Amino acid sequence: MSNQEATALKEMPGGAGRESDSVQTLDALIVGAGFSGLYALHLLRKQGLSVRAYEAGDDIGGAWYWNRYPGARCDSESEIYCYSFSDEILQEWEWTERFPDQAEILEYFDFVDSKLDLRKDVQFNTRIDAGDFDPDTSRWTIRLDDGKLVSVKYLVLSCGVLTAASTPDFKGLDQFKGKVIHTSQWPHEGVDFTGQDVGIVGTGSSGVQAVPVIAEQARHLTVFQRTPAFYIPARNVPMDPEQWRKIKETYSEMWEKAKHMPMGIPYDRDPRSAFDLTPEEREDFFETRWQEGGNKFLRTSFRDVGTDKAANDVVVEYLHRKIREAVDDPVIAEKLIPKGFPVGTKRVCTGTDYLEAFNRDNVTLVDVKSSPIQEITKDGVKTGDEEYKIDCLVLATGFDAMTGAFTRIDLRGLEGSTLKEKWEDGAKTYLGIMTAGFPNMFMVTGPQSPSALCNVPTAIEQHVEWITDCINYMQTGGHSTIDANPGAEKEWGEHCTELGNQTLFPQTDSWYMGANIPGKPRDFLVYIGGLDKYRDLCDEVAASGYKSLQLA
Ligand code: NA7
C-alpha cells in the first residue's frame, strides 16, 4: 500500500484507517486462533501465501482458551473432536477420556502446534477492531486494537460460533460488591469458592457443567434458572490403550463416514419412526442409550424426533421421568422439568451429576421465569419475590451466537455500510461463507452454515478447505475479487428458513433462532440440510468455477 493510500484510509469516516501510519501488507489475515483459524493458517501457509492470524487471547485454543469454567468439557466424543486432516496427528495423539475436558483440549492444541509450528504466525493479545474494503485496490485494510493497520487481499473470519459472550443487562450489576464472572471469561488462575455463597445464572451447557463442580466447593450455591434444560448424563470414562488401538485401526474409515453424515459424526440415526416400536421396545431403546450416555442419545434416536411433535413427545416423556427419578424432592424435580418446547430445539445438555446436585443441602434452585431477576444489589440477586445474598455471581448466560463474533467487528464493505447494518434484519449469507458486498471476506462456521448442529471440527475442516481452495483458485487464475451474488444469497437464506420450517426448531426460543439476545431478529441461523448435502453443494460450486459467485 502506498503512503497516499494510507493517508486516504486515515481520512475514512469511522473506518479502519483512523489511527496509525504503519501499514503491514499480507496476502491473508485470519481472525482467531482456534480450530478454524489454525487450520486456515496451516493451509494458506502451505499455498505459499503471506498470512498471519490475530488472536485476542494470549495463546491458541479459541473457544477453549476462554471457556475455563469449572467442569468445562466437550460434549462430542474425543476421538472425533479433533482434526482429521493429518494422519500423523491422528495416529500419535490419544485423548485420555471419552469426553475431553478443557485443559486436555488445550494440550491437544499444543501437540498440533508441535507438529505444525503454528504459533509463530499468530499475533496474540490483539483484537481486530475494524476492516474497510477498498474497491479501487481490491484490498481490505484491517485496524488492530493498537491502531496498527494491515492491508490484505483476503480476510478469513475464524472467530467462532459461540465466542461473543452475552451478559444480560441486569439493573445494578455494577454495584454488586463481589466478583461477577462470565463462564467464558474465567480467570486463568481459577476461582476458589471455598466458604463462599455463590449464585449462578443460566442452566445451558455451561451452567449444567459448572453447577455440580461449584456445589462441591462452595458453602452454598443458588442456581437461577429461567428455562430448565433437557439433560443426559455424559457418563464420561477414561479411555485405555486397547480402545485406542481399535479406533486407530479404522480411523480413516471412521472419518470418511463422519464427513459424509448430516452431523459430521460417524453414528447412524435409527431409520425407524418412534411409532414403529411398542412402548416396551421404546423403553428398552431409550434405556440402552441413557445408560450409554452423551448426546448420542438424541443423535442416534428415531428419524422423526426432530420433525414430528408426537415422536418428539415420546422422548420428552422419557426424559421427564428421568428427572423425577434422579431428584429427591418432587417440588424441585418439577421445577427442573423442561416444558413447552420440543427436545433438541435448544441444545441438549450433557454433564456429570447435574440433577443429583439438586439433592445436596447446599444447593438452592430459584425459578426466575416465574419471578424474574429484577436487579443485582450490592449484596446479591433480587427477584420479584426475594433477595438472595451471595459473595460471587457466575454468569453462565451464553453468547450472541452465530453472528455476534462477526458483527462486533466494524467491517465495512463495498457500500461503506457495516456488516452489522447489513444484518440488522437478519443474517444474509451465501452458504454461510460469504456475504454480498464484502468481497474476499470469508466466514468459517458462519450463520446459515451447518456448523452449530455438527461435530464442529468436522464442519470446520470442510469450510476451511473450501475457502482455501477458493483462494487458491483466485490466486492461480489471477482474480482480484470474489463476492456473493445478492440473488444467490437471497435464495440461500430462503432455503435455510424453509428447511428450518420443516423441523421443530422454530417452535422454541433458542440461540439457534437468535432468540436469546433481546432485539436480535428471529430467524433460524443454521443450515439444517446436513453437512453431507452441504459438502456436495459447496463442491458443486467450486467445480463450476464458482459460477454462482461474482469473480473478477
Ligand atoms: P446457553 O446455552 O445460551 O445458556 C445460557 C443460559 O443463560 C440459559 O439457561 C438462559 O436461559 C440463561 N439466561 C440468559 N439470559 C438470562 C437472563 N437475563 N436471566 C436469566 N437467565 C438467563 O449458553 P451456554 O454457555 O450454557 O452454552 C452455549 C453453547 O456452548 C452450548 O449450546 C454448547 O453448544 C456449547 P434461557 O434458556 O434463555 O431462558
Side-chain angles (χ1 to χ4, degrees), residues 192-488:
D192 184 3
F193 291 115
T194 310
Q196 294 208 18
D197 293 335
V198 181
I200 182 166
V201 182
T203 51
S205 297
S206 306
V208 159
Q209 290 184 336
V211 160
V213 186
I214 298 176
E216 286 277 337
Q217 202 181 52
R219 182 169 56 197
H220 195 90
L221 176 65
T222 307
V223 181
F224 298 94
Q225 169 194 266
R226 189 164 65 183
T227 309
F230 282 103
Y231 170 76
I232 316 235
R235 303 204 196 282
N236 183 44
V237 283
M239 290 181 74
D240 61 42
E242 182 53 18
Q243 270 173 296
W244 276 111
R245 196 188 56 74
K246 284 194 183 137
I247 289 169
K248 285 178 183 178
E249 265 175 19
T250 53
Y251 224 174
S252 47
E253 287 93 324
M254 194 204 81
W255 276 107
E256 201 43 36
K257 178 168 182 184
K259 285 177 186 187
H260 295 95
M261 294 289 279
M263 283 184 282
I265 48 174
Y267 322 121
D268 294 307
R269 184 171 278 288
D270 195 289
R272 293 171 295 181
S273 158
F275 301 108
D276 289 343
L277 282 72
T278 65
E280 294 73 27
E281 287 167 341
R282 271 202 305 265
E283 186 69 13
D284 283 351
F285 177 92
F286 290 142
E287 195 57 27
T288 306
R289 282 162 173 71
W290 176 264
Q291 291 309 330
E292 194 185 350
N295 60 22
K296 266 191 198 170
F297 179 92
L298 210 60
R299 287 175 164 182
T300 62
S301 194
F302 304 112
R303 66 168 153 76
D304 46 359
V305 165
T307 48
D308 178 2
K309 178 72 170 56
N312 193 283
D313 283 345
V314 172
V315 187
V316 166
E317 189 276 325
Y318 177 85
L319 293 176
H320 282 186
R321 202 147 29 89
K322 286 296 181 188
I323 297 171
R324 293 191 180 105
E325 281 170 21
V327 179
D328 298 341
D329 182 332
V331 177
I332 298 174
E334 283 315 301
K335 280 193 200 172
L336 284 165
I337 287 179
K339 295 190 187 100
F341 63 95
V343 60
T345 55
K346 272 168 105 79
R347 181 87 169 188
V348 172
C349 299
T350 67
T352 303
D353 295 337
Y354 174 66
L355 295 172
E356 292 74 9
F358 294 93
N359 296 333
R360 298 174 64 104
D361 292 338
N362 72 334
V363 175
T364 305
L365 179 66
V366 176
D367 171 9
V368 293
K369 176 91 100 198
S370 61
S371 182
I373 294 172
Q374 288 193 339
E375 70 172 304
I376 309 297
T377 64
K378 181 166 68 61
D379 298 313
V381 177
K382 193 168 180 302
T383 67
D385 301 332
E386 215 168 312
E387 181 174 351
Y388 298 86
K389 300 225 157 112
I390 51 172
D391 303 309
C392 181
L393 179 63
V394 175
L395 297 177
T397 46
F399 302 89
D400 182 354
M402 308 296 296
T403 56
F406 302 115
T407 54
R408 285 180 187 191
I409 307 174
D410 185 5
L411 293 164
R412 288 163 195 263
L414 286 173
E415 308 295 330
S417 53
T418 63
L419 183 67
K420 190 170 178 206
E421 285 160 353
K422 180 178 172 186
W423 287 0
E424 214 157 40
D425 303 326
K428 296 171 193 72
T429 77
Y430 180 55
L431 301 173
I433 295 178
M434 302 205 74
T435 186
F438 294 74
N440 298 1
M441 184 183 96
F442 301 91
M443 293 172 285
V444 188
T445 63
Q448 300 172 336
S449 76
S451 52
L453 289 171
C454 294
N455 178 46
V456 178
T458 327
I460 282 174
E461 284 191 337
Q462 185 275 340
H463 292 202
V464 170
E465 284 160 14
W466 190 91
I467 290 167
T468 53
D469 283 351
C470 176
I471 290 176
N472 191 36
Y473 183 90
M474 290 183 64
Q475 289 297 96
T476 49
H479 296 285
S480 56
T481 56
I482 190 162
D483 196 359
N485 188 322

Side-chain angles (χ1 to χ4, degrees), residues 1 5 8-9 12 131-141 152 412-414 439 481:
M1 171 180 292
E5 280 165 349
L9 280 164
M12 289 177 86
D132 275 299
F133 183 76
D134 180 352
D136 295 332
T137 57
S138 299
R139 291 183 73 84
W140 282 91
T141 301
V152 296
R412 288 163 195 263
L414 286 173
T481 56

Side-chain angles (χ1 to χ4, degrees), residues 25 44 58 69 84 128 173 191 223 271 479 490 492 540:
T25 301
L44 292 175
D58 69 8
Y69 60 85
S84 73
I128 303 301
L173 191 58
V191 183
V223 181
H479 296 285
K490 188 165 176 286
W492 182 252
E540 278 167 30

